[in-house]
Amino acid sequence: MIDELIDAVIDREGGYVRHPADRGGATRYGITEAVARANGYVGDMRQFARPAAMAIYRRAYWQQPGLDRVATRAPKLAAELFDTGVNMGPATAVTFLQRALNALNRGASDYPDVPLDGRVGPATLAALDRFLATRGTAAQAVLVKAIDSLQGERYLSLAEKRPADEAFLYGWLAQRVG
């Protein structure tokens, strides 16, 4: 599953880009120079290799945030969280999940609220398991909609706060939400 998700992100992100309005600076395959450097890459971003990008996506955007554990329970949700995390950071994506789980637990009567710590730990997994068991077959789709909603709102907010981000808003909404 993760290989297909990574390939789709790399295909969507494309090769080398250095957009003047992008605070992330130079990117290749959607990996920013800062992320590449943090993962040991020292060369020119124009030469950053696809296998290196794939390894970073697998480790830093799938395994470390615990999305592999979400995938065993709700693969479509894990895919949405991965895509959100690639664009906004894995901790933001997981925090969106935690917020949604807390808002959907009917006043903590279905399961306790989980801390908004941006990590898929035992409390988040227990809440997810309980939500899926309690809400049935539509539960995963509802969580995906919640993540999409939070993501879309964040993109709009970014563009409102920083006019330079308006250059990206249309693409974010067209390619990342829903």
Side-chain angles (χ1 to χ4, degrees):
M1 169 181 188
I2 186 56
D3 290 334
E4 293 82 18
L5 294 174
I6 292 170
D7 283 339
V9 165
I10 288 175
D11 290 346
R12 184 172 47 250
E13 293 290 339
Y16 178 80
V17 178
R18 179 136 178 80
H19 192 288
D22 188 348
R23 289 193 279 192
T27 66
R28 184 161 167 110
Y29 306 123
I31 300 291
T32 65
E33 186 170 9
V35 168
R37 301 278 183 252
N39 284 273
Y41 183 70
V42 295
D44 186 316
M45 284 303 290
R46 289 175 193 85
Q47 305 306 316
F48 185 64
R50 184 181 179 112
M54 293 180 76
I56 290 171
Y57 280 130
R58 181 180 276 68
R59 183 180 58 257
Y61 293 85
W62 184 253
Q63 294 168 333
Q64 286 176 351
L67 300 185
D68 53 336
R69 292 176 287 164
V70 173
T72 63
R73 296 156 164 85
K76 290 177 183 173
L77 174 63
E80 178 62 33
L81 292 169
F82 173 75
D83 188 66
T84 302
V86 164
N87 199 253
M88 296 185 165
T92 298
V94 173
T95 301
F96 285 172
L97 171 62
Q98 292 166 332
R99 288 178 59 200
L101 286 168
N102 288 349
L104 290 164
N105 69 1
R106 296 187 272 205
S109 64
D110 290 339
Y111 48 86
D113 282 345
V114 297
L116 303 179
D117 61 10
R119 291 177 288 148
V120 176
T124 299
L125 291 173
L128 177 59
D129 288 342
R130 195 72 196 121
F131 178 78
L132 294 171
T134 302
R135 295 298 186 130
T137 57
Q140 181 175 199
V142 167
L143 282 175
V144 169
K145 286 180 183 182
I147 301 306
D148 277 340
S149 298
L150 291 165
Q151 187 178 12
E153 190 284 326
R154 177 139 186 220
Y155 289 138
L156 287 169
S157 179
L158 288 171
E160 289 169 342
K161 291 177 184 169
R162 184 174 178 260
D165 282 340
E166 289 181 13
F168 307 111
L169 182 59
Y170 184 88
W172 286 336
L173 293 173
Q175 296 179 11
R176 296 288 184 177
V177 178

